[in-house]
């Protein structure tokens, strides 16, 4: 574990992630939201870091690690299916998502974030 994480709680790191991704708008009608955007972003980010390459892998990872994810958020309805996850992620502006991700990584590893490859 890098020194930057010493003394920080996992919840503090999650708060930092969500802060950087707060620029992403959830355009869904609030009363219809079953899977909150913050939970979806946590799932997708964690699964991607864990080398998941597609939505099927992300869903499988999420189901397998649901206990871990619930340490940070309720995930009251569990993990969404692959089709739903793809649909929601396709609604997010990929350029804005990339900027949010880069700013999050830059805050975690100042001066080293240029080494993070982002594709697709």
């Amino acid at each position: 574990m890098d020194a930057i994480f010493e003394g920080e709680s996992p919840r503090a790191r999650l708060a930092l992630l969500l802060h950087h991704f707060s620029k992403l708008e959830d355009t869904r009608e609030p009363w219809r939201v079953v899977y909150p955007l913050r939970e979806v972003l946590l799932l997708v980010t964690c699964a991607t870091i864990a080398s998941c390459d597609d939505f099927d892998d992300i869903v499988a990872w999420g189901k397998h690690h649901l206990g871990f994810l619930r340490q940070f958020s309720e995930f009251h309805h569990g993990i969404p299916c692959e089709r739903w996850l793809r649909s929601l992620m396709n609604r997010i502006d990929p350029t804005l998502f990339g900027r949010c991700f880069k700013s999050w990584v830059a805050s975690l590893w100042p001066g080293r974030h240029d080494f993070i490859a982002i594709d697709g």
Side-chain angles (χ1 to χ4, degrees):
M1 186 176 289
D2 286 7
I4 193 167
F5 295 128
E6 287 181 17
E8 285 187 23
S9 73
R11 289 194 182 273
R13 286 180 257 153
L14 172 61
L16 182 63
L17 169 75
L18 294 175
H19 169 74
H20 284 279
F21 281 95
S22 66
K23 293 176 181 76
L24 300 175
E25 289 186 42
D26 192 348
T27 58
R28 299 173 292 166
E29 297 174 24
W31 62 273
R32 298 182 69 189
V33 172
V34 174
Y35 301 103
L37 185 59
R38 61 178 274 134
E39 290 181 355
V40 172
L41 293 173
L42 174 62
L43 166 66
V44 170
T45 302
C46 289
T48 301
I49 290 170
S51 298
C52 294
D53 293 329
D54 59 31
F55 292 111
D56 289 320
D57 288 347
I58 292 170
V59 169
W61 186 92
K63 288 179 178 179
H64 188 261
H65 294 90
L66 187 55
F68 167 77
L69 293 169
R70 283 187 169 148
Q71 292 178 39
F72 306 101
S73 193
E74 284 185 23
F75 284 87
H76 181 73
H77 296 284
I79 302 298
C81 70
E82 172 273 329
R83 191 180 87 200
W84 184 94
L85 188 60
R86 175 179 282 118
S87 175
L88 179 63
M89 293 306 292
N90 283 336
R91 297 170 110 191
I92 295 174
D93 176 6
T95 303
L96 179 56
F97 184 88
R99 283 198 306 260
C100 292
F101 185 82
K102 285 180 182 180
S103 71
W104 173 61
V105 171
S107 70
L108 293 175
W109 295 284
R112 295 182 0 204
H113 64 279
D114 291 334
F115 299 109
I116 304 297
I118 299 178
D119 61 343

